Amino acid sequence: MTPSARCLLLLAAMTLLNGCSSVNYYSQLASGQLHLLKAREPVEHVIADPQRPAALRKQLRNAQAARTFASKQLLLPDNASYRLYADLKRPYVVWNVFATPEFSLKPITHCFPIAGCVAYRGYYSVGGARGEAALQRQQGRDVFVSGVEAYSTLGWFDDPILNTMLTWGDERLASVIFHELAHQRVYVKDDTEFNESFANFVEQEGTRQWRAFQGLPAPDPRALLQRDQFIGLILQTRQGLETLYAQSLPAERMRQRKAATFEQMRVQYRQMRDQQWAGNTRFDPWINSPMNNAKLLPFGLYDQWVPAFAALFKQSGNDWQTFYAAVETLATLPLPERKAALRQQLADG
């Protein structure tokens, strides 16, 4: 089946499952994906073309080395994904819109025939994302719009390296490839926390092994510690908000306590930055921008079970094949049992 036919089939299925009111949204999904597919070209052709920028060709050569490493050493899928290149002429491939009720950290979910239910809605234009965000705000919800450099079609299509993935240097590009290929290796419908935490672990451990393979020193432990401490602070704040929202308080009082919780997070961050990080300001832009429940969602979704997967990898003897088999077993469990097993991994780890 051609890429165009697949996109039309997806659009038809989505329309039947979601009703005519959703046709415009799913049309932009299908047309956006089709535009991406048409923009693809083999990486080897770009590398061999002397008319292309030398910096691009060098970066793609390095990316292909990482792509080979991903399959041979990390045992990630060996297919045409990330052996193609597409320049979309924009900074992000999609913009995701996250939304929650005003006094809840439970995301407003959206369900799709292939990916299942996820905690965001994606748009191929920033204007579309902003329009959706405005509609969500009109309903009194907390909203956060985030640009995304890459995503996985879970093997339905051969995903390309995108120009949006090239802005952070060779190592970041390699880590994104590891992350997205991990989604092709294991994916569970309707469990974003599991999927993203698993892919995040594969990304982090894969990047560590990639550095070692190249003979590079381990990442600066101070930077890793700062990242972990920052994420820990965000998760701690989420827990505090969950406790707050479980209380029966008048709306205005709840808003005051909510604002105070976010301000306490900022105070704790500045103390940590100034007293433990020697004033490193890497997270200042994020912490100082407007705050709400939806802005915290990616942390709970992408990081919650990473330590559990790290413990499982260690328990698997640091062997990728054994680890993936254990993850696949977890994926077959009903959701409550899967969460209980991950919590046990946290405790054991």
Side-chain angles (χ1 to χ4, degrees):
M1 184 182 296
T2 67
S4 298
R6 283 193 179 187
C7 280
L8 290 173
L9 177 61
L10 281 174
L11 176 58
M14 291 169 176
T15 302
L16 290 172
L17 289 172
N18 293 277
C20 292
S21 62
S22 298
V23 169
N24 288 341
Y25 174 70
Y26 292 112
S27 293
Q28 68 90 27
L29 285 185
S31 63
Q33 178 64 37
L34 185 57
H35 174 263
L36 185 154
L37 296 176
K38 288 182 175 179
R40 298 177 305 173
E41 55 184 321
V43 166
E44 60 187 25
H45 291 180
V46 180
I47 293 174
D49 184 355
Q51 300 301 314
R52 299 297 185 97
L56 170 63
R57 296 162 63 200
K58 179 181 178 183
Q59 195 165 17
L60 290 178
R61 279 195 295 269
N62 293 336
Q64 292 311 280
R67 178 64 185 85
T68 299
F69 177 86
S71 294
K72 290 189 175 180
Q73 303 298 324
L74 307 182
L75 306 187
L76 292 168
D78 188 3
N79 52 35
S81 289
Y82 309 110
R83 294 189 171 104
L84 302 164
Y85 174 69
D87 186 351
L88 301 179
K89 313 296 184 184
R90 59 179 187 262
Y92 298 107
V93 56
V94 294
W95 286 261
N96 285 341
V97 180
F98 297 88
T100 71
E102 183 181 9
F103 302 129
S104 172
L105 287 167
K106 185 177 181 179
I108 306 299
T109 57
H110 307 276
C111 299
F112 304 91
I114 297 173
C117 297
V118 296
Y120 49 82
R121 218 175 190 199
Y123 289 83
Y124 281 92
S125 73
V126 66
R130 288 172 177 168
E132 172 66 16
L135 291 175
Q136 294 287 347
R137 291 190 185 98
Q138 287 178 2
Q139 299 180 57
R141 293 169 175 166
D142 282 11
V143 182
F144 177 60
V145 178
S146 176
V148 177
E149 292 89 353
Y151 65 83
S152 172
T153 60
L154 308 179
W156 260 68
F157 304 102
D158 295 328
D159 298 316
I161 296 171
L162 301 169
N163 66 295
T164 58
M165 300 164 63
L166 302 180
T167 58
W168 287 349
D170 291 341
E171 183 164 296
R172 175 57 180 160
L173 176 55
S175 69
V176 170
I177 290 172
F178 302 157
H179 182 108
E180 300 305 337
L181 285 173
H183 284 313
Q184 292 189 21
R185 178 77 198 227
V186 179
Y187 187 88
V188 182
K189 290 184 69 172
D190 305 335
D191 195 344
T192 304
E193 295 173 354
F194 179 92
N195 295 325
E196 295 300 345
S197 293
F198 163 71
N200 247 12
F201 169 74
V202 173
E203 172 188 332
Q204 292 172 18
E205 177 61 23
T207 301
R208 187 192 68 77
Q209 293 189 17
W210 173 233
R211 289 183 66 92
F213 180 80
Q214 298 175 93
L216 299 174
D220 185 347
R222 293 172 298 179
L224 296 178
L225 177 61
Q226 290 171 11
R227 180 201 66 192
D228 291 344
Q229 289 177 330
F230 179 73
I231 292 172
L233 175 60
I234 305 305
L235 296 180
Q236 176 185 321
T237 301
R238 282 175 54 92
Q239 291 175 351
L241 288 169
E242 287 173 346
T243 300
L244 170 63
Y245 297 150
Q247 302 178 34
S248 298
L249 296 175
E252 189 55 38
R253 178 60 176 158
M254 188 74 81
R255 290 189 188 101
Q256 293 172 356
R257 294 277 299 276
K258 175 182 175 181
T261 301
F262 283 129
E263 186 55 33
Q264 180 184 24
M265 178 183 69
R266 290 190 174 101
V267 170
Q268 290 179 286
Y269 165 78
R270 291 170 188 138
Q271 291 175 342
M272 188 163 56
R273 176 197 65 191
D274 297 338
Q275 297 175 14
Q276 301 180 43
W277 300 357
N280 188 308
T281 61
R282 59 190 293 205
F283 297 116
D284 276 21
W286 189 93
I287 206 79
N288 291 327
S289 58
M291 202 68 60
N292 61 33
N293 297 328
K295 190 172 179 178
L296 303 188
L297 280 181
F299 290 89
L301 296 174
Y302 284 68
D303 300 288
Q304 180 171 346
W305 300 120
V306 170
F309 285 113
L312 183 59
F313 186 70
K314 183 176 181 180
Q315 181 181 315
S316 302
N318 297 341
D319 177 77
W320 285 108
Q321 193 65 54
T322 304
F323 170 70
Y324 291 137
V327 173
E328 288 164 355
T329 298
L330 284 175
T332 65
L333 298 176
L335 181 60
E337 294 180 30
R338 187 160 59 245
K339 288 184 179 293
L342 289 167
R343 283 192 290 269
Q344 187 61 51
Q345 286 293 337
L346 284 176
D348 294 344

Short mmCIF file of all heavy atoms in Angstrom, two decimals, residues 98 142-144 234 266 285-299:
data_model
loop_
_atom_site.label_atom_id
_atom_site.label_comp_id
_atom_site.label_asym_id
_atom_site.label_seq_id
_atom_site.Cartn_x
_atom_site.Cartn_y
_atom_site.Cartn_z
N PHE A 98 -1.50 20.08 25.55
CA PHE A 98 -1.84 19.37 26.78
C PHE A 98 -2.90 20.16 27.53
O PHE A 98 -2.83 21.40 27.58
CB PHE A 98 -0.61 19.21 27.68
CG PHE A 98 0.50 18.39 27.10
CD1 PHE A 98 1.48 18.97 26.31
CD2 PHE A 98 0.58 17.03 27.35
CE1 PHE A 98 2.51 18.22 25.78
CE2 PHE A 98 1.62 16.26 26.81
CZ PHE A 98 2.58 16.87 26.02
N ASP A 142 -6.60 24.18 32.30
CA ASP A 142 -5.19 24.55 32.21
C ASP A 142 -4.63 23.97 30.91
O ASP A 142 -4.90 22.81 30.58
CB ASP A 142 -4.40 23.99 33.39
CG ASP A 142 -4.60 24.80 34.66
OD1 ASP A 142 -5.50 25.65 34.68
OD2 ASP A 142 -3.85 24.57 35.63
N VAL A 143 -3.84 24.77 30.18
CA VAL A 143 -3.37 24.37 28.86
C VAL A 143 -1.88 24.67 28.72
O VAL A 143 -1.38 25.68 29.22
CB VAL A 143 -4.15 25.12 27.75
CG1 VAL A 143 -3.69 24.66 26.37
CG2 VAL A 143 -5.65 24.89 27.91
N PHE A 144 -1.19 23.78 28.00
CA PHE A 144 0.23 23.98 27.69
C PHE A 144 0.48 23.51 26.27
O PHE A 144 0.08 22.40 25.90
CB PHE A 144 1.11 23.21 28.67
CG PHE A 144 2.59 23.28 28.39
CD1 PHE A 144 3.25 24.50 28.37
CD2 PHE A 144 3.33 22.13 28.15
CE1 PHE A 144 4.60 24.58 28.11
CE2 PHE A 144 4.69 22.20 27.91
CZ PHE A 144 5.33 23.44 27.88
N ILE A 234 9.94 18.74 40.27
CA ILE A 234 8.68 18.82 39.55
C ILE A 234 7.73 17.70 40.00
O ILE A 234 6.54 17.94 40.24
CB ILE A 234 8.90 18.74 38.02
CG1 ILE A 234 9.88 19.81 37.56
CG2 ILE A 234 7.57 18.88 37.29
CD1 ILE A 234 9.52 21.21 37.95
N ARG A 266 9.17 27.37 42.79
CA ARG A 266 10.16 28.32 42.27
C ARG A 266 11.19 28.67 43.35
O ARG A 266 12.39 28.77 43.06
CB ARG A 266 9.46 29.57 41.76
CG ARG A 266 8.65 29.38 40.48
CD ARG A 266 8.19 30.71 39.92
NE ARG A 266 7.53 30.57 38.63
CZ ARG A 266 6.21 30.58 38.44
NH1 ARG A 266 5.41 30.73 39.49
NH2 ARG A 266 5.70 30.45 37.24
N PRO A 285 14.52 29.56 32.21
CA PRO A 285 13.42 29.95 31.32
C PRO A 285 12.15 29.15 31.58
O PRO A 285 11.05 29.70 31.55
CB PRO A 285 13.99 29.66 29.92
CG PRO A 285 15.47 29.80 30.09
CD PRO A 285 15.75 29.24 31.46
N TRP A 286 12.29 27.86 31.86
CA TRP A 286 11.11 27.04 32.10
C TRP A 286 10.46 27.41 33.42
O TRP A 286 9.24 27.61 33.50
CB TRP A 286 11.50 25.56 32.12
CG TRP A 286 10.31 24.63 32.15
CD1 TRP A 286 9.68 24.07 31.09
CD2 TRP A 286 9.62 24.17 33.32
NE1 TRP A 286 8.63 23.29 31.51
CE2 TRP A 286 8.56 23.33 32.87
CE3 TRP A 286 9.77 24.37 34.69
CZ2 TRP A 286 7.68 22.70 33.75
CZ3 TRP A 286 8.88 23.75 35.57
CH2 TRP A 286 7.85 22.93 35.11
N ILE A 287 11.24 27.54 34.47
CA ILE A 287 10.69 27.77 35.80
C ILE A 287 10.07 29.16 35.93
O ILE A 287 9.14 29.38 36.70
CB ILE A 287 11.78 27.56 36.89
CG1 ILE A 287 11.14 27.17 38.24
CG2 ILE A 287 12.64 28.79 37.08
CD1 ILE A 287 10.72 25.75 38.35
N ASN A 288 10.58 30.12 35.17
CA ASN A 288 10.11 31.50 35.30
C ASN A 288 8.95 31.83 34.36
O ASN A 288 8.38 32.92 34.45
CB ASN A 288 11.25 32.48 35.04
CG ASN A 288 12.30 32.44 36.14
OD1 ASN A 288 11.99 32.21 37.30
ND2 ASN A 288 13.56 32.65 35.77
N SER A 289 8.59 30.93 33.47
CA SER A 289 7.46 31.16 32.57
C SER A 289 6.15 30.79 33.28
O SER A 289 6.18 30.17 34.35
CB SER A 289 7.63 30.35 31.29
OG SER A 289 7.74 28.97 31.59
N PRO A 290 5.00 31.21 32.74
CA PRO A 290 3.71 30.92 33.40
C PRO A 290 3.55 29.43 33.70
O PRO A 290 3.96 28.58 32.91
CB PRO A 290 2.69 31.42 32.38
CG PRO A 290 3.40 32.49 31.63
CD PRO A 290 4.82 32.04 31.53
N MET A 291 2.93 29.14 34.83
CA MET A 291 2.86 27.78 35.32
C MET A 291 1.41 27.34 35.48
O MET A 291 0.56 28.12 35.89
CB MET A 291 3.58 27.68 36.67
CG MET A 291 4.03 26.28 37.03
SD MET A 291 5.34 25.64 35.95
CE MET A 291 6.64 26.85 36.24
N ASN A 292 1.13 26.09 35.14
CA ASN A 292 -0.17 25.50 35.42
C ASN A 292 -0.05 23.98 35.44
O ASN A 292 1.03 23.43 35.23
CB ASN A 292 -1.23 25.97 34.41
CG ASN A 292 -0.90 25.58 32.98
OD1 ASN A 292 -0.30 24.53 32.73
ND2 ASN A 292 -1.28 26.41 32.03
N ASN A 293 -1.17 23.31 35.68
CA ASN A 293 -1.15 21.85 35.77
C ASN A 293 -0.65 21.20 34.48
O ASN A 293 0.14 20.25 34.50
CB ASN A 293 -2.57 21.31 36.06
CG ASN A 293 -3.12 21.77 37.38
OD1 ASN A 293 -2.38 21.96 38.33
ND2 ASN A 293 -4.42 21.95 37.44
N ALA A 294 -1.14 21.70 33.35
CA ALA A 294 -0.82 21.07 32.07
C ALA A 294 0.67 21.12 31.77
O ALA A 294 1.21 20.22 31.12
CB ALA A 294 -1.62 21.74 30.95
N LYS A 295 1.34 22.16 32.23
CA LYS A 295 2.77 22.29 31.98
C LYS A 295 3.57 21.20 32.70
O LYS A 295 4.68 20.85 32.29
CB LYS A 295 3.25 23.67 32.41
CG LYS A 295 4.67 23.99 31.97
CD LYS A 295 5.03 25.43 32.26
CE LYS A 295 6.45 25.75 31.83
NZ LYS A 295 6.81 27.16 32.07
N LEU A 296 3.00 20.65 33.78
CA LEU A 296 3.68 19.59 34.52
C LEU A 296 3.43 18.21 33.92
O LEU A 296 4.11 17.24 34.29
CB LEU A 296 3.21 19.57 35.98
CG LEU A 296 3.37 20.87 36.79
CD1 LEU A 296 3.04 20.60 38.25
CD2 LEU A 296 4.76 21.45 36.66
N LEU A 297 2.46 18.09 33.01
CA LEU A 297 2.09 16.77 32.49
C LEU A 297 3.26 16.02 31.87
O LEU A 297 3.44 14.83 32.15
CB LEU A 297 0.96 16.90 31.47
CG LEU A 297 -0.45 17.05 32.02
CD1 LEU A 297 -1.44 17.13 30.88
CD2 LEU A 297 -0.81 15.90 32.94
N PRO A 298 4.06 16.64 30.98
CA PRO A 298 5.13 15.85 30.35
C PRO A 298 6.08 15.21 31.35
O PRO A 298 6.63 14.13 31.08
CB PRO A 298 5.86 16.89 29.48
CG PRO A 298 4.81 17.90 29.16
CD PRO A 298 3.98 18.00 30.42
N PHE A 299 6.29 15.84 32.52
CA PHE A 299 7.20 15.26 33.50
C PHE A 299 6.61 13.99 34.09
O PHE A 299 7.29 12.99 34.23
CB PHE A 299 7.52 16.28 34.60
CG PHE A 299 8.37 17.40 34.12
CD1 PHE A 299 7.80 18.55 33.58
CD2 PHE A 299 9.75 17.31 34.17
CE1 PHE A 299 8.59 19.59 33.12
CE2 PHE A 299 10.55 18.35 33.71
CZ PHE A 299 9.97 19.48 33.18
#
